[in-house]
Amino acid sequence: MQKKKLIFEVCANGIQSAINAQLAGADRIELCEYLEVGGLTPHDKIIRDAKELIHIPIHVLIRPRAGNFVFSEEEYDCMKEEIIRCKKMQVAGIVTGVLNPDRTIDKIRCAELMEHAHPLSITFHRAFDVVHDPIQSLKELIELGVDRVLTSGQQENPLAGAQLIKELMNHSNGRISILAGGGITEENISAIVKESGITEIHFSARKKQVDGSYVSDLMRIKNMMQAANDTFINL
């Protein structure tokens, strides 16, 4: 049987980051803005420009504000509107997540967001890393039909969370993809691949620019992908 390949998703905080991800050979991008607060939904112009310039799949982050993942009715309505706009712009997927105050999956709202997004690909983002019961939450996401879940294994990075990531992969049994992300760098990406057994990796590979802004750096992306692949082929 042919061995699976690693899939690389770059968290791109704008057009240049998205272009660099594509040039580096990434498999897809998560498009967002304001990574300094964990990422928010990008403006429509950024999405339209990305659609013109980027040929790999674009998944758009749907998150109206920073902070927790318990949203007001107004915020929730905004999320639905953003999904409808993304669908009209024909992006490949959305990245989102809604929790209840008790840190469980808000299944009703998530299901409604997915109905609005259908047939786009659905990633449940790192709201998963604050759920009270990750295994039960994974089961609920599978039942909802979510395509993948982005997680650091509820730790500062997927290396520290490698044990939970392995458990999630075992429980998923191919029914949902586990996407490792959060705090991944050149220094730990090889160990993450080796210790977790993950096959989908999410990182931003940011580099500070002269003007103080950050952009996903072409060489950092290439180097991280190469390090991960070198480890993967020897497993």
Side-chain angles (χ1 to χ4, degrees), residues 54-220:
I54 305 302
H55 310 297
I56 58 177
I58 298 169
H59 291 188
V60 177
L61 177 63
I62 304 297
R63 186 183 180 211
R65 59 155 172 79
N68 65 34
F69 304 100
V70 181
F71 298 108
S72 68
E73 199 64 38
E74 182 179 3
E75 291 166 340
Y76 177 58
D77 287 342
C78 177
M79 294 170 75
K80 289 187 286 187
E81 291 168 4
E82 293 287 1
I83 287 172
I84 292 169
R85 284 200 287 271
C86 285
K87 191 173 177 180
K88 288 180 179 178
M89 287 184 274
Q90 298 183 321
V91 302
I94 64 161
V95 182
T96 195
V98 185
L99 300 182
N100 295 308
D102 63 355
R103 293 190 297 144
T104 59
I105 304 292
D106 188 333
K107 292 184 289 185
I108 294 175
R109 282 184 165 183
C110 286
E112 288 178 346
L113 292 180
M114 291 174 65
E115 284 180 17
H116 280 77
H118 183 77
L120 305 184
S121 180
I122 307 292
T123 301
F124 192 92
H125 58 38
R126 289 189 65 201
F128 188 85
D129 284 331
V130 297
V131 297
H132 179 68
D133 185 337
I135 300 302
Q136 176 60 32
S137 295
L138 186 73
K139 292 177 181 177
E140 292 173 357
L141 293 177
I142 291 170
E143 291 170 359
L144 284 168
V146 171
D147 295 292
R148 71 189 55 79
V149 57
L150 172 61
T151 179
S152 64
Q154 298 198 323
Q155 300 295 328
E156 62 180 343
N157 61 58
L159 181 56
Q163 186 57 46
L164 177 56
I165 288 174
K166 285 192 286 188
E167 290 180 30
L168 294 170
M169 291 176 68
N170 286 335
H171 280 278
S172 72
N173 195 26
R175 295 172 293 172
I176 188 171
S177 297
I178 307 301
L179 173 62
I184 298 182
T185 66
E186 294 94 326
E187 289 73 28
N188 64 19
I189 193 167
S190 293
I192 288 168
V193 171
K194 183 177 180 179
E195 296 299 323
S196 70
I198 202 72
T199 57
E200 292 200 33
I201 306 172
H202 166 105
F203 55 79
S204 64
R206 284 183 291 169
K207 186 174 182 180
K208 194 171 186 177
Q209 305 300 290
V210 175
D211 62 1
S213 64
Y214 287 86
V215 66
S216 294
D217 182 72
L218 178 61
M219 289 311 302
R220 282 198 74 193

Side-chain angles (χ1 to χ4, degrees), residues 2 11 19 30 49 53 57 78 124 130 184:
Q2 188 175 11
C11 183
I19 290 172
E30 180 200 288
D49 289 348
L53 298 169
C78 177
F124 192 92
V130 297
I184 298 182

Side-chain angles (χ1 to χ4, degrees), residues 12-23 54 209 215-217 221:
N13 64 330
I15 297 302
Q16 189 59 56
S17 291
I19 290 172
N20 289 347
Q22 180 167 264
L23 289 173
I54 305 302
Q209 305 300 290
V215 66
S216 294
D217 182 72
I221 299 169

